[in-house]
Amino acid sequence: GRDADKHRLSALLKARFAEKTRAEWEALIAPLDTCWGVVYEGDEMLADPHLQARGLVGNDARGRFPAFPVVFGGARDDALAPAPALGADTDEILARLG
């Protein structure tokens, strides 16, 4: 029964959050001892100071992109690259699979 009222709850929350700007909600929530985070829109996350400080913003001829954040074996792969376009490597993968 956990999902019985999820659509009604979603509508209530959407209406409530629409009552203030993101900056107003941030000012209210930031001082509280709770886990929360801003939900970025579009390229906003690329300007996030935390991502920039961790070196998680890549850049190439196609533009800026978020880098893979996970560290394996004590280091993150230096080859930053965006994900391939849909279908860009299909032939290569199928060839490897025979």
Side-chain angles (χ1 to χ4, degrees):
R2 290 177 53 170
D3 291 343
D5 290 320
K6 69 180 180 181
H7 296 294
R8 192 169 65 89
L9 177 60
S10 178
L12 288 169
L13 290 173
K14 185 176 181 179
R16 179 55 56 119
F17 283 119
E19 293 174 2
K20 298 184 185 322
T21 66
R22 185 170 62 187
E24 290 171 324
W25 283 114
E26 187 173 355
L28 286 171
I29 297 171
L32 304 177
D33 183 22
T34 187
C35 294
W36 70 278
V38 172
V39 177
Y40 293 120
E41 295 182 26
D43 289 341
E44 288 179 322
M45 76 172 159
L46 299 176
D48 182 272
H50 182 78
L51 266 65
Q52 291 182 356
R54 290 195 59 214
L56 295 176
V57 179
N59 194 13
D60 71 5
R62 293 173 280 186
R64 297 174 66 206
F65 54 89
F68 189 66
V70 180
V71 174
F72 293 106
R76 187 173 53 246
D77 188 355
D78 288 337
L80 296 176
L86 183 62
D89 51 6
T90 300
D91 292 339
E92 177 189 343
I93 292 170
L94 292 176
R96 277 192 266 156
L97 295 173

